[in-house]
Amino acid sequence: MKIFWKLCLLSVLLLGCGGLVKRNPKVEFHYYHLTGEWDVRVPEARGDGGGLAIFPFDAASAIERRMLIRISETQIEYDDYEMWAEPPQEMATRAFAEGLEKSGVFARTASSDDLPADLFGRILTGKLERFEWDRASEPATAYIEARLELRGANRGNYFWGERISAREPLAEETPAAYAEASRKALRRLIEQTAQKLSELPVRKK
C-alpha cells in the first residue's frame, strides 16, 4: 500500500513538472523598419548629372534580418527575437533611391526594378559590409559600412568606387534606439554618397 501511494505522489510531481514547462511564457518577436523622409539635399546641385539607376544592394553573409550585435573586434552574436522587418540591404536600396532622387545631383533617379537600366547614363551598385549594433564601442553605436560603385549603364565604364561608413550613438541601450540610430546612420551614408557623386568631374550621359 505504501508503494502505491509513493507511486501516486511521484506521478503528481511529474505532472506538475510537465505543467510548468507548458506554462512558460510565450516568446515575443519584435520587428523594426527603417522608414522616414530621406530628403537629402546637396548645396548647389543642379541636376546636371544625367540619369541614375540604382541596382539592388548585396550584403555580406553575416548580415541578416536578425539584429547583429558586435561584442568585440572579433566576436558577434545575433538577437533571435529582435529582427528587421526586411533584409537590411533591401531597406538600404530603397532609402538610397529616394535620397539620391531628392538630392538634386541627378536629373532623374530610379531603382533598376522600376525601369530598364539602359535608360539611364549611370548605375549605382552597392554591398553592405557591416550593419550592426556595435556594443564594443563606447558609447554603443549603430554602425553601417558599404562598398559603392558607379558605372556606365551601357558600356560598363567604371567612374567611381569607395567604401564609406557612418556611425551613430544610441540614445539608450534598447533595440528601438538601435533602429532609430541605424536610420540616422543610413541617412548620413546617403548624404556622403550624394556629396561625392556631385563632385565627380564627368557625370552627364
Side-chain angles (χ1 to χ4, degrees):
M1 196 66 173
K2 290 183 178 179
I3 295 177
F4 172 77
W5 288 112
K6 287 181 179 179
L7 290 174
C8 290
L9 179 60
L10 180 60
S11 299
V12 171
L13 291 174
L14 290 174
L15 288 173
C17 291
L20 288 176
V21 173
K22 292 179 182 178
R23 288 194 296 270
N24 277 346
K26 183 179 179 181
V27 173
E28 292 187 2
F29 293 87
H30 301 107
Y31 298 90
Y32 303 87
H33 202 260
L34 300 184
T35 58
E37 293 295 326
W38 306 99
D39 51 344
V40 174
R41 294 295 302 178
V42 174
E44 301 181 2
R46 300 185 304 275
D48 59 353
L52 178 69
I54 300 176
F55 276 32
F57 286 7
D58 292 325
S61 58
I63 297 173
E64 55 182 68
R65 288 181 60 191
R66 291 184 299 169
M67 285 187 171
L68 188 158
I69 302 170
R70 180 165 296 279
I71 305 302
S72 68
E73 190 65 30
T74 57
Q75 182 182 1
I76 61 173
E77 64 180 27
Y78 295 94
D79 192 319
D80 292 329
Y81 308 114
E82 308 292 337
M83 307 178 68
W84 297 111
E86 296 181 272
Q89 63 269 29
E90 293 184 12
M91 294 189 290
T93 301
R94 189 164 51 252
F96 264 81
E98 182 178 337
L100 292 178
E101 179 182 15
K102 294 181 178 180
S103 69
V105 176
F106 293 91
R108 59 191 184 281
T109 304
S111 168
S112 64
D113 293 335
D114 300 329
L115 294 169
D118 56 8
L119 295 180
F120 297 83
R122 304 287 183 267
I123 60 173
L124 181 72
T125 61
K127 180 179 181 180
L128 294 181
E129 301 286 357
R130 292 173 63 178
F131 197 98
E132 61 195 34
W133 181 345
D134 189 356
R135 286 180 175 169
S137 64
E138 183 60 43
T141 59
Y143 181 72
I144 304 176
E145 183 179 305
R147 171 69 183 177
L148 302 175
E149 288 187 355
L150 183 71
R151 295 180 178 272
N154 296 321
R155 297 186 300 272
N157 295 336
Y158 181 86
F159 294 107
W160 169 80
E162 191 170 333
R163 187 186 303 272
I164 61 175
S165 63
R167 187 182 295 275
E168 183 71 25
L170 274 64
E172 58 182 348
E173 281 275 3
T174 64
Y178 165 56
E180 175 61 20
S182 295
R183 188 182 65 82
K184 293 179 180 179
L186 183 57
R187 178 190 173 88
R188 288 176 55 195
L189 216 63
I190 299 170
E191 290 174 341
Q192 291 180 48
T193 303
Q195 185 63 49
K196 290 178 181 294
L197 294 181
S198 72
E199 296 168 357
L200 294 179
V202 178
R203 293 179 287 111
K204 293 183 180 180
K205 184 173 180 178

